Amino acid sequence: MDNARKLKRNNKRKLIPYGRQSIERDDIEAVIKTLKTNWLTQGPKVIEFEEELAKYCGTKYAVAFANGTAALHGAYYAAGLQKDDEFITTPNTFVATVNAGVFLGAIPRFADIELNTGNIDVKLIEKQITKKTKLIVPVDYAGQPCDLDEIIKLAKKNDITIIEDACHALGAKYKNKKIGSVADMTVFSFHPVKSITTGEGGSVVTNNKEFYEKLKKFRTHGITKSDQWTYEMTEPGLNYRLSDIHASLGVSQLKKIDKFIKKRSKIAKQYNQELKGIVGIPKMRSGRTSSWHLYPILLPKKLAKNKEEILNELLENNIGSQVHYMPAYWYDFYKKNYQKGLCPNAEEFYSREISIPIYPNLAWSDQAHVVSTLKKILNNKLK
Ligand SMILES: *Cc1c(COP(=O)(O)O)cnc(C)c1O
């Protein structure tokens, strides 16, 4: 039976998704207001959103993009990533992190992760550095910042740019600094499951003026100066702009981010208490706070082989979970160039990981249903 039919059969309870947006009346009103103005795109709302986002992150600049993937592409471009250059990243990420570099002709190298955080293991980055390494791209998995100080040290020593893929981590903190203000460039996504949403949307934040200018140019066709009748184009770019409609939603959502993250943290705390000792729960490193984009659990090793059954049984109980992530080099496009076993921790993590529901408006009763159902399923399997 396919998933949709399974759900129909068991529709006493509404599906609890693994993540979702929180849209309130003021968000809706903000968008409607924009629709009534003359500016649907390239107007004042994008500028306002960028200013507010930069202020929130404690950075000089923010450049809004059509989505997080476009923002990654822009950041890699601005850093000068070119054909045959190399960049180091984690296999435990959404494919966009890797694809964006491959689009520029560059070659990804993977450093394995720590099993208990899902984040890139700094000790393994150095081994991947070569003369061709242009970028390190740490991903703040599930919303917990990576070991940024150590990565910065490595990068400085080797003259490498750090682009932090913080698509999970808007609102997280590293040693009391907001994520966004630490790396050379930081990338966010505003997809509906992320910290805040614009529908589709993304951004790069930076303190570097040169990067800022390149990002702006790349976002709009490579056009540099324009006056009323003419413009100049120095290098081909793309149309990666965010519209004012989307940006007005972003301005409204950004006002609530701290509230959203507080709610996510409470849910995570509850899961920590309920699930400790039953499954692997995220290990928090000192000196950082998470934005709790995901709540990833690791199944006991001996249940790894039952993962698909467990996912299906959760779904039969109207619990929508997800898996984050299959190692990026396992995808068809990449697998011919990388050996299985390249990153053993990432492979084991994938075999045991399930992301269970977490989002600001997850009801306590729904969370209780997730916990009790999960416990029941695991108990049955362990019998
Ligand atoms: C969501 C996400 C992206 C891509 O963002 P989009 O806005 O969906 O394009 C990139 N990297 C990571 C880690 C993500 O979670």
Side-chain angles (χ1 to χ4, degrees), residues 193-217:
V193 296
K194 308 291 167 79
S195 299
I196 61 165
T197 190
T198 59
E200 293 279 359
S203 182
V204 183
V205 298
T206 183
N207 282 319
N208 182 311
K209 187 152 189 267
E210 198 180 314
F211 291 152
Y212 168 69
E213 274 158 9
K214 282 187 182 158
L215 289 163
K216 292 248 290 191
K217 198 163 77 167

CSV table of all heavy atoms in Angstrom, one decimal, residues 193-217:
chain,number,residue,atom,x,y,z
A,193,VAL,N,10.1,24.4,6.4
A,193,VAL,CA,10.5,23.7,7.6
A,193,VAL,C,11.6,24.3,8.4
A,193,VAL,O,12.0,23.9,9.5
A,193,VAL,CB,10.9,22.2,7.3
A,193,VAL,CG1,9.7,21.4,6.7
A,193,VAL,CG2,12.1,22.2,6.4
A,194,LYS,N,12.2,25.4,7.9
A,194,LYS,CA,13.4,26.0,8.6
A,194,LYS,C,12.9,27.0,9.7
A,194,LYS,O,11.8,27.2,9.9
A,194,LYS,CB,14.3,26.7,7.5
A,194,LYS,CG,14.7,25.8,6.3
A,194,LYS,CD,15.6,24.7,6.7
A,194,LYS,CE,15.8,23.6,5.7
A,194,LYS,NZ,16.6,23.9,4.5
A,195,SER,N,13.9,27.6,10.3
A,195,SER,CA,13.6,28.5,11.5
A,195,SER,C,12.5,29.5,11.3
A,195,SER,O,11.7,29.7,12.1
A,195,SER,CB,14.9,29.2,12.0
A,195,SER,OG,15.9,28.4,12.3
A,196,ILE,N,12.6,30.2,10.1
A,196,ILE,CA,11.6,31.1,9.7
A,196,ILE,C,11.4,30.8,8.2
A,196,ILE,O,12.2,30.3,7.5
A,196,ILE,CB,11.9,32.6,9.9
A,196,ILE,CG1,13.1,33.0,9.1
A,196,ILE,CG2,12.0,33.0,11.3
A,196,ILE,CD1,13.3,34.5,8.9
A,197,THR,N,10.2,31.2,7.7
A,197,THR,CA,10.0,31.0,6.3
A,197,THR,C,9.6,32.2,5.5
A,197,THR,O,9.0,33.1,6.0
A,197,THR,CB,8.9,29.9,6.0
A,197,THR,OG1,8.9,29.5,4.7
A,197,THR,CG2,7.5,30.3,6.5
A,198,THR,N,9.9,32.2,4.2
A,198,THR,CA,9.4,33.1,3.2
A,198,THR,C,8.7,32.4,2.1
A,198,THR,O,8.5,32.9,1.0
A,198,THR,CB,10.6,34.0,2.6
A,198,THR,OG1,11.5,33.1,2.0
A,198,THR,CG2,11.3,34.8,3.7
A,199,GLY,N,8.4,31.1,2.3
A,199,GLY,CA,7.8,30.2,1.3
A,199,GLY,C,9.0,29.5,0.6
A,199,GLY,O,9.3,28.4,1.0
A,200,GLU,N,9.6,30.2,-0.3
A,200,GLU,CA,10.9,29.8,-0.8
A,200,GLU,C,11.8,31.1,-0.5
A,200,GLU,O,11.3,32.2,-0.6
A,200,GLU,CB,11.0,29.6,-2.3
A,200,GLU,CG,10.2,28.3,-2.8
A,200,GLU,CD,11.0,27.0,-2.6
A,200,GLU,OE1,12.2,27.1,-2.1
A,200,GLU,OE2,10.4,26.0,-2.9
A,201,GLY,N,13.1,30.8,-0.1
A,201,GLY,CA,13.9,32.0,0.1
A,201,GLY,C,15.2,31.6,0.7
A,201,GLY,O,15.3,30.4,1.3
A,202,GLY,N,16.2,32.4,0.7
A,202,GLY,CA,17.5,32.1,1.3
A,202,GLY,C,18.3,33.4,1.4
A,202,GLY,O,17.8,34.5,1.0
A,203,SER,N,19.4,33.3,2.0
A,203,SER,CA,20.2,34.5,2.2
A,203,SER,C,21.7,34.2,2.5
A,203,SER,O,21.9,33.1,3.0
A,203,SER,CB,19.7,35.4,3.3
A,203,SER,OG,20.5,36.6,3.4
A,204,VAL,N,22.6,35.1,2.1
A,204,VAL,CA,24.0,35.0,2.6
A,204,VAL,C,24.2,36.2,3.5
A,204,VAL,O,23.8,37.3,3.1
A,204,VAL,CB,25.0,35.0,1.4
A,204,VAL,CG1,26.4,34.8,2.0
A,204,VAL,CG2,24.6,34.0,0.4
A,205,VAL,N,24.8,36.0,4.6
A,205,VAL,CA,25.2,37.1,5.5
A,205,VAL,C,26.7,37.1,5.6
A,205,VAL,O,27.4,36.0,5.6
A,205,VAL,CB,24.6,37.1,6.9
A,205,VAL,CG1,23.1,37.3,6.8
A,205,VAL,CG2,24.9,35.9,7.7
A,206,THR,N,27.3,38.3,5.7
A,206,THR,CA,28.8,38.4,5.7
A,206,THR,C,29.2,39.8,6.2
A,206,THR,O,28.4,40.7,6.2
A,206,THR,CB,29.4,38.2,4.3
A,206,THR,OG1,30.8,38.3,4.3
A,206,THR,CG2,28.9,39.3,3.3
A,207,ASN,N,30.4,39.9,6.7
A,207,ASN,CA,31.0,41.2,7.1
A,207,ASN,C,31.9,41.7,6.0
A,207,ASN,O,32.5,42.8,6.2
A,207,ASN,CB,31.7,41.1,8.4
A,207,ASN,CG,30.8,41.1,9.6
A,207,ASN,OD1,29.8,41.8,9.6
A,207,ASN,ND2,31.1,40.2,10.5
A,208,ASN,N,32.1,40.9,4.9
A,208,ASN,CA,33.1,41.2,3.9
A,208,ASN,C,32.4,42.0,2.7
A,208,ASN,O,31.6,41.4,2.0
A,208,ASN,CB,33.7,39.9,3.5
A,208,ASN,CG,34.8,40.1,2.5
A,208,ASN,OD1,34.6,40.8,1.5
A,208,ASN,ND2,35.9,39.5,2.7
A,209,LYS,N,32.9,43.2,2.5
A,209,LYS,CA,32.3,44.1,1.5
A,209,LYS,C,32.5,43.5,0.1
A,209,LYS,O,31.6,43.6,-0.8
A,209,LYS,CB,32.9,45.4,1.6
A,209,LYS,CG,32.3,46.5,0.7
A,209,LYS,CD,32.4,47.9,1.3
A,209,LYS,CE,31.6,48.9,0.5
A,209,LYS,NZ,32.4,49.6,-0.5
A,210,GLU,N,33.7,42.9,-0.1
A,210,GLU,CA,34.0,42.3,-1.5
A,210,GLU,C,33.0,41.2,-1.8
A,210,GLU,O,32.4,41.1,-2.9
A,210,GLU,CB,35.4,41.8,-1.5
A,210,GLU,CG,36.0,41.7,-2.8
A,210,GLU,CD,37.4,41.2,-2.7
A,210,GLU,OE1,38.2,41.7,-1.9
A,210,GLU,OE2,37.8,40.2,-3.4
A,211,PHE,N,32.8,40.3,-0.8
A,211,PHE,CA,31.9,39.2,-1.0
A,211,PHE,C,30.5,39.8,-1.2
A,211,PHE,O,29.7,39.3,-2.1
A,211,PHE,CB,31.8,38.3,0.2
A,211,PHE,CG,33.1,37.4,0.4
A,211,PHE,CD1,33.4,37.0,1.7
A,211,PHE,CD2,33.9,37.1,-0.7
A,211,PHE,CE1,34.6,36.2,1.9
A,211,PHE,CE2,35.0,36.3,-0.5
A,211,PHE,CZ,35.4,35.9,0.8
A,212,TYR,N,30.1,40.8,-0.4
A,212,TYR,CA,28.8,41.4,-0.5
A,212,TYR,C,28.5,41.9,-1.9
A,212,TYR,O,27.5,41.6,-2.5
A,212,TYR,CB,28.7,42.5,0.5
A,212,TYR,CG,27.5,43.4,0.3
A,212,TYR,CD1,26.2,43.0,0.6
A,212,TYR,CD2,27.7,44.8,-0.1
A,212,TYR,CE1,25.1,43.8,0.5
A,212,TYR,CE2,26.6,45.6,-0.2
A,212,TYR,CZ,25.3,45.1,0.1
A,212,TYR,OH,24.2,45.9,-0.1
A,213,GLU,N,29.5,42.6,-2.5
A,213,GLU,CA,29.3,43.1,-3.8
A,213,GLU,C,29.2,42.0,-4.9
A,213,GLU,O,28.4,42.1,-5.8
A,213,GLU,CB,30.4,44.2,-4.1
A,213,GLU,CG,29.9,45.5,-3.6
A,213,GLU,CD,31.0,46.5,-3.3
A,213,GLU,OE1,32.2,46.2,-3.8
A,213,GLU,OE2,30.7,47.5,-2.7
A,214,LYS,N,30.0,41.0,-4.7
A,214,LYS,CA,29.9,39.9,-5.7
A,214,LYS,C,28.6,39.2,-5.6
A,214,LYS,O,28.0,38.8,-6.6
A,214,LYS,CB,31.1,38.9,-5.5
A,214,LYS,CG,32.4,39.4,-6.0
A,214,LYS,CD,33.4,38.3,-5.9
A,214,LYS,CE,34.7,38.9,-6.5
A,214,LYS,NZ,35.9,38.1,-5.9
A,215,LEU,N,28.1,39.0,-4.4
A,215,LEU,CA,26.8,38.3,-4.2
A,215,LEU,C,25.7,39.1,-4.9
A,215,LEU,O,24.8,38.5,-5.5
A,215,LEU,CB,26.5,38.2,-2.7
A,215,LEU,CG,27.4,37.2,-1.9
A,215,LEU,CD1,27.3,37.5,-0.4
A,215,LEU,CD2,27.0,35.8,-2.2
A,216,LYS,N,25.7,40.4,-4.7
A,216,LYS,CA,24.7,41.3,-5.3
A,216,LYS,C,24.7,41.2,-6.8
A,216,LYS,O,23.6,41.1,-7.5
A,216,LYS,CB,24.8,42.7,-4.8
A,216,LYS,CG,24.6,42.9,-3.4
A,216,LYS,CD,23.3,43.7,-3.1
A,216,LYS,CE,23.5,45.2,-3.5
A,216,LYS,NZ,22.4,46.0,-3.0
A,217,LYS,N,25.9,41.2,-7.3
A,217,LYS,CA,26.0,41.2,-8.8
A,217,LYS,C,25.5,39.8,-9.3
A,217,LYS,O,24.8,39.8,-10.3
A,217,LYS,CB,27.5,41.4,-9.1
A,217,LYS,CG,27.8,41.8,-10.5
A,217,LYS,CD,29.2,42.4,-10.7
A,217,LYS,CE,30.2,41.3,-10.7
A,217,LYS,NZ,31.5,41.9,-11.1
